[in-house]
């Protein structure tokens, strides 16, 4: 083992540079509105985040400079990207270019795996 210490101040900072990601070891962060988030791992160039939605949970319309790809691990989601909407289910995914408005509405409880480049600094502050 190298001299790296992961005894940092927050669960998010503990995820920085994590090479082996064990879901059970990562605490959920309650975002309210039926959403919970886990920051799985990241470095300056990319980040993986897991988001659990209750039925009717909403990922409000927003945009950010980051490029995003997401994988639907479970559930059913109505995804809006720009002016297009699509119903996606487990096994599906989507790509969001930088600065494009997007959002999600959960139709059946489920989980999204989001990948961002560069990493979302706002998620670790």
């Amino acid at each position: 083992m190298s001299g790296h210490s992961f005894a940092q101040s927050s669960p998010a900072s503990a995820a920085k540079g994590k090479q082996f990601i064990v879901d059970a070891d990562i605490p959920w962060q309650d975002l309210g509105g039926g959403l919970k988030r886990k920051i799985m791992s990241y470095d300056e160039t990319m980040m993986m985040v897991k988001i659990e939605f209750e039925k009717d949970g909403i990922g409000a319309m927003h945009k950010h400079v980051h490029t995003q790809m997401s994988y639907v691990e479970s559930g059913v989601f109505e995804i809006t990207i720009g002016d297009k909407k699509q119903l996606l289910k487990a096994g599906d995914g989507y790509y969001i270019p930088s600065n494009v408005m997007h959002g999600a509405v959960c139709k059946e409880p489920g989980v999204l795996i989001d990948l961002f480049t560069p990493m979302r600094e706002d998620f670790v502050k």
Side-chain angles (χ1 to χ4, degrees):
M1 293 287 284
S2 66
H4 292 293
S5 169
F6 290 103
Q8 298 167 349
S9 60
S10 71
S13 61
K16 186 170 185 179
K18 186 179 286 188
Q19 293 178 325
F20 297 101
I21 305 163
V22 180
D23 184 62
D25 293 345
I26 304 168
W28 285 105
Q29 175 187 12
D30 189 349
L31 301 177
L35 280 68
K36 297 189 295 189
R37 172 172 67 205
K38 287 186 182 192
I39 296 176
M40 307 302 280
S41 186
Y42 68 95
D43 66 13
E44 291 73 23
T45 63
M46 68 183 306
M47 175 181 269
M48 182 167 64
V49 177
K50 183 175 188 174
I51 304 177
E52 183 177 89
F53 287 73
E54 294 176 3
K55 184 179 184 333
D56 299 323
I58 296 174
M61 291 296 290
H62 65 287
K63 66 179 179 176
H64 41 72
V65 68
H66 315 84
T67 300
Q68 177 178 342
M69 272 194 181
S70 298
Y71 173 77
V72 182
E73 179 181 286
S74 61
V76 176
F77 294 85
E78 181 183 79
I79 304 297
T80 302
I81 303 172
D83 60 358
K84 297 180 179 139
K85 285 187 184 188
Q86 176 113 10
L87 207 59
L88 299 175
K89 62 183 181 349
D92 297 337
Y94 53 96
Y95 164 78
I96 304 165
S98 177
N99 290 313
V100 172
M101 289 294 290
H102 60 281
V105 177
C106 183
K107 300 299 189 177
E108 292 179 18
V111 173
L112 297 177
I113 306 297
D114 294 342
L115 301 167
F116 299 98
T117 183
M119 61 84 74
R120 295 286 304 261
E121 290 182 6
D122 55 321
F123 284 8
V124 298
K125 291 185 177 176

